Amino acid sequence: MSQLRIRVLGRIGAEIDGEPLHLSKSRHREILSILVAAHGRTVSTGRLVDELWEDAPVGAVGAVRTFIGELRRILEPERLPRTPPENLVTVADGYALKLTSTAVDLWRAEQAVQTAKGSSPAAREPLLTGALEEWRGTAFEEFITRPWAKSERAWIAELRAGAVEDLAEARLALGQPKDVVALLDAHIVEHPWREEGWRLLALALYRSARPGDALAVVSQARSTLMQDLGIDPSDRLAGLEQGIMRRDPALDLADDGGSILLRTATARTGVRSQLESVTVLLPLLAVSGSVQFAADQRMSAIAAAEQFGDPELAARVIGGFDVPGSWTRSAAIVDAALRTISILPAGASDRVRARLLATVAMESRGTANRLTEAAEAERIARRLGDPSLLCFALSARYVQTFEKAGHARSRETIGAELIALAVAAELPTFEIQGRLITMQALCALENILAASDEAAKIDALAARFDRPLASVFTAWFRWVFTQGPPPPEGSEMPGFRIGLHDLAKFTAAVRAGAELQDGHFGPYEPWVRPLLLARTGRQKEAAMALDSLEVPPHDLMLEVSWFLIGLAAIASGNKDAGRRSYHALLPAAGERAGGSGAVDLGPISPLLNELVQFCAMGDQY
């Protein structure tokens, strides 16, 4: 069934199944906007006349009916003649939109904000983030001067401002103060008289170890409120200022599982049960949207567990983080797991040992070859016939498939087995991971249509099981591979937070043969810079940069990094770098440099041919 979608938060428009509808007349857009603002209630013909004209002409009622008829044909282009409309219906002497709450961006945002009220911070955060993403401009911005729009725009602006502040509260509770600073910087500029925004920004700065900046924000808030409104700050804001100056512990993040565990570990009363509970809860927090918070508290729990001197307890805490392998990496956890393996008693269960081995392989992602540990964990899991353990071990083997380029087919196989196991055993987290692995592998294998099918299944699972971070991957895939809308800046997901937006734009320009633009490439900077230097006439600097360049990390960006090195080698005349790139990329000759699903440089084979000619390499290559 076709799905109608209407947008009023920004440029007014409508689409059916992603195809834009042609709302060419301003009257069509205004009537649609008035009906959206009515939230499904009936708007009389007389009110439409009053809203559309200050001095209604003769025949205004007939004109409204004509506009309604035209609008119906636009919104339901496949409706047969003389059949009743379904979306824009006649009710008595008026009209109403009969649509679900998901069909209109404003309605979706309002519903998400209402649902978030009273929920836990972990539940509120993705709801409010999704709500705010609906805004692509101000509400009904085309009709800013129209009388009917003024009151509507006022309450919608209040809705959005409240959602921003509620989201800031949730992220503070989840231990994400830096995200709150980024969120509120623009908010207080737009709403300088909302004291709550100032207070939350100051608290976020304080929790980001920036007490001086926090005090400056409180001072600026006081000045703004007194000079522009003539009112004194509330006791709450003044109390925050005093608390910052004396570094009141009450301003720190409220007690959570990890901090409680650390304080009570030496008391030995009830802590074991708390540790076991944390092992269950932290993975749920991570896959529900709070990756960094869960990771921080996991380290606290591991530290507390190791204090007991019980290696099997420590092993359960260390190996109990069931999240997709590409979401976690920690040398400290690898060290803790290896310490625990070395002191496990002879009678320890194979299941515990397998989880530790898989954890070592998983947490070494991109930094060390741990195929032996991953293979042993998988062997134990298969012998035990434990689907959950096998999914965990396969996830560990997956992150170890990047020791060289060209393993997309292997990853596709791992993804398929993960999906089959997870579906049979009802393990949604691992089904999502299996489909993510498959989607990314299909991008490298140039089967974008099949990858799109996987993306749709991932989004359905993410919605069904409240796994919002999974849709971060699919949003990037659609932007890069299917011309979808750009994904939002910033993310809880490791690897997406810094530099990826500019890298994706840069690689798109490379692929299109367009002029390359500098940017903030974050961790990808070393592999972008030589090509940028070479393409801007600084070949000598580019060649020198290539000579000192380290081997790229063994992760999803491996082929992309070597591809950029190869292009820079040709552009700068550095044949040694060209040969290194050729040999690194040769195993991926039949693939595409796009296996991350978030960045794409196109087929690898043409570059290999260029490198052969550039380096004057013989048949032995």
Side-chain angles (χ1 to χ4, degrees), residues 483-566:
Q483 289 76 54
E489 295 272 2
S491 169
E492 264 285 296
M493 286 304 307
F496 285 85
R497 184 178 295 276
I498 301 172
L500 195 60
H501 262 271
D502 283 355
L503 177 65
K505 293 175 184 177
F506 183 86
T507 51
V510 170
R511 206 168 62 248
E515 182 180 353
L516 303 184
Q517 300 294 325
D518 205 344
H520 179 54
F521 302 106
Y524 315 107
E525 168 76 20
W527 295 279
V528 173
R529 187 57 50 189
L531 180 58
L532 197 56
L533 289 170
R535 291 282 181 89
T536 53
R538 298 156 71 183
Q539 284 82 2
K540 186 174 180 180
E541 289 181 61
M544 292 174 62
L546 288 171
D547 285 338
S548 61
L549 196 60
E550 295 182 359
V551 174
H554 295 273
D555 57 21
L556 281 163
M557 290 296 182
L558 183 65
E559 288 88 357
V560 166
S561 300
W562 278 115
F563 199 112
L564 291 171
I565 291 170

Side-chain angles (χ1 to χ4, degrees), residues 171-291:
R171 287 181 175 172
L172 280 171
L174 293 171
Q176 302 168 25
K178 293 181 181 178
D179 289 350
V180 173
V181 173
L183 177 70
L184 292 179
D185 271 338
H187 176 73
I188 62 169
V189 172
E190 188 177 353
H191 302 281
W193 303 291
R194 293 180 68 94
E195 183 181 292
E196 185 65 356
W198 291 103
R199 186 189 72 81
L200 290 167
L201 178 57
L203 182 56
L205 287 165
Y206 180 78
R207 289 186 182 173
S208 300
R210 297 167 59 184
D213 291 337
L215 288 172
V217 163
V218 175
S219 176
Q220 187 178 356
R222 179 185 294 105
S223 175
T224 299
L225 293 170
M226 293 185 68
Q227 291 181 10
D228 294 347
L229 296 182
I231 59 175
D232 292 322
S234 68
D235 291 342
R236 195 178 188 195
L237 189 63
L240 174 62
E241 183 178 40
Q242 293 300 313
I244 292 171
M245 288 191 290
R246 64 174 182 266
R247 295 185 179 272
D248 188 346
L251 296 182
D252 295 330
L253 182 63
D255 281 340
D256 51 69
S259 58
I260 292 172
L261 290 169
L262 284 176
R263 282 203 313 274
T264 59
T266 55
R268 304 296 199 272
T269 49
V271 182
R272 286 176 180 272
S273 61
Q274 291 187 50
L275 282 166
E276 299 284 4
S277 298
V278 166
T279 301
V280 174
L281 292 173
L282 289 182
L284 294 175
L285 271 176
V287 298
S288 297
S290 302
V291 176

Side-chain angles (χ1 to χ4, degrees), residues 412-618:
E412 184 188 25
T413 301
I414 292 172
E417 185 173 6
L418 269 172
I419 293 168
L421 284 166
V423 169
E426 298 184 1
L427 301 169
T429 296
F430 284 113
E431 183 184 353
I432 289 171
Q433 177 172 25
R435 295 196 182 282
L436 284 170
I437 291 171
T438 302
M439 181 191 77
Q440 292 166 333
L442 289 167
C443 290
L445 297 170
E446 300 200 76
N447 192 343
I448 307 306
L449 184 61
S452 295
D453 290 341
E454 290 297 333
K457 293 173 183 176
I458 291 163
D459 285 340
L461 287 166
R464 180 182 174 190
F465 294 103
D466 191 23
R467 303 288 196 269
L469 293 185
S471 292
V472 173
F473 291 88
T474 57
W476 277 85
F477 160 74
R478 291 191 178 95
W479 181 40
V480 172
F481 287 92
T482 66
Q483 289 76 54
E489 295 272 2
S491 169
E492 264 285 296
M493 286 304 307
F496 285 85
R497 184 178 295 276
I498 301 172
L500 195 60
H501 262 271
D502 283 355
L503 177 65
K505 293 175 184 177
F506 183 86
T507 51
V510 170
R511 206 168 62 248
E515 182 180 353
L516 303 184
Q517 300 294 325
D518 205 344
H520 179 54
F521 302 106
Y524 315 107
E525 168 76 20
W527 295 279
V528 173
R529 187 57 50 189
L531 180 58
L532 197 56
L533 289 170
R535 291 282 181 89
T536 53
R538 298 156 71 183
Q539 284 82 2
K540 186 174 180 180
E541 289 181 61
M544 292 174 62
L546 288 171
D547 285 338
S548 61
L549 196 60
E550 295 182 359
V551 174
H554 295 273
D555 57 21
L556 281 163
M557 290 296 182
L558 183 65
E559 288 88 357
V560 166
S561 300
W562 278 115
F563 199 112
L564 291 171
I565 291 170
L567 291 175
I570 295 171
S572 66
N574 189 324
K575 290 190 176 184
D576 286 341
R579 291 188 182 95
R580 292 197 302 274
S581 173
Y582 177 86
H583 288 297
L585 289 173
L586 187 58
E591 296 183 6
R592 191 178 186 95
S596 68
V599 173
D600 179 37
L601 277 165
I604 291 170
S605 182
L607 175 62
L608 291 173
N609 293 335
E610 288 184 48
L611 287 168
V612 167
Q613 295 177 12
F614 165 65
C615 296
M617 293 187 288

Side-chain angles (χ1 to χ4, degrees), residues 24-303:
S24 58
K25 293 183 179 180
S26 174
R27 290 303 194 196
H28 292 161
R29 297 191 295 275
E30 187 167 11
I31 290 173
L32 184 61
S33 298
I34 293 170
L35 294 172
V36 165
H39 284 260
R41 298 184 297 274
T42 301
V43 179
S44 69
T45 304
R47 185 194 159 194
L48 286 173
V49 169
D50 291 341
E51 300 291 6
L52 294 174
W53 290 279
E54 292 182 7
D55 186 9
V58 175
V61 170
V64 165
R65 291 171 179 163
T66 298
F67 292 142
I68 291 289
E70 293 171 343
L71 190 54
R72 282 173 170 160
R73 287 191 290 274
I74 294 170
L75 299 180
E76 297 183 53
E78 296 180 0
R79 181 168 59 89
L80 297 175
R82 292 183 295 280
T83 58
E86 295 181 358
N87 297 328
L88 202 176
V89 300
T90 301
V91 183
D93 183 32
Y95 307 95
L97 286 175
K98 294 303 179 185
L99 300 169
T100 66
S101 60
T102 61
V104 181
D105 56 1
L106 172 60
W107 298 357
R108 288 194 299 272
E110 186 179 9
Q111 184 180 53
V113 170
Q114 292 302 319
T115 303
K117 292 185 184 301
S119 301
S120 67
R124 283 205 314 275
E125 201 278 342
L127 284 168
L128 294 169
T129 298
L132 292 171
E133 287 172 357
E134 298 290 353
W135 270 268
R136 300 181 183 181
T138 60
F140 309 112
E141 63 185 18
E142 179 181 350
F143 302 108
I144 187 172
T145 61
R146 304 292 293 162
W148 66 264
K150 291 181 179 179
S151 60
E152 292 297 326
R153 285 168 54 84
W155 81 260
I156 294 169
E158 177 66 25
L159 176 75
R160 185 180 186 280
V164 169
E165 291 167 4
D166 288 348
L167 177 58
E169 284 273 20
R171 287 181 175 172
L172 280 171
L174 293 171
Q176 302 168 25
K178 293 181 181 178
D179 289 350
V180 173
V181 173
L183 177 70
L184 292 179
D185 271 338
H187 176 73
I188 62 169
V189 172
E190 188 177 353
H191 302 281
W193 303 291
R194 293 180 68 94
E195 183 181 292
E196 185 65 356
W198 291 103
R199 186 189 72 81
L200 290 167
L201 178 57
L203 182 56
L205 287 165
Y206 180 78
R207 289 186 182 173
S208 300
R210 297 167 59 184
D213 291 337
L215 288 172
V217 163
V218 175
S219 176
Q220 187 178 356
R222 179 185 294 105
S223 175
T224 299
L225 293 170
M226 293 185 68
Q227 291 181 10
D228 294 347
L229 296 182
I231 59 175
D232 292 322
S234 68
D235 291 342
R236 195 178 188 195
L237 189 63
L240 174 62
E241 183 178 40
Q242 293 300 313
I244 292 171
M245 288 191 290
R246 64 174 182 266
R247 295 185 179 272
D248 188 346
L251 296 182
D252 295 330
L253 182 63
D255 281 340
D256 51 69
S259 58
I260 292 172
L261 290 169
L262 284 176
R263 282 203 313 274
T264 59
T266 55
R268 304 296 199 272
T269 49
V271 182
R272 286 176 180 272
S273 61
Q274 291 187 50
L275 282 166
E276 299 284 4
S277 298
V278 166
T279 301
V280 174
L281 292 173
L282 289 182
L284 294 175
L285 271 176
V287 298
S288 297
S290 302
V291 176
Q292 189 57 54
F293 177 75
D296 291 344
Q297 301 317 310
R298 182 189 181 197
M299 287 304 306
S300 298
I302 290 171

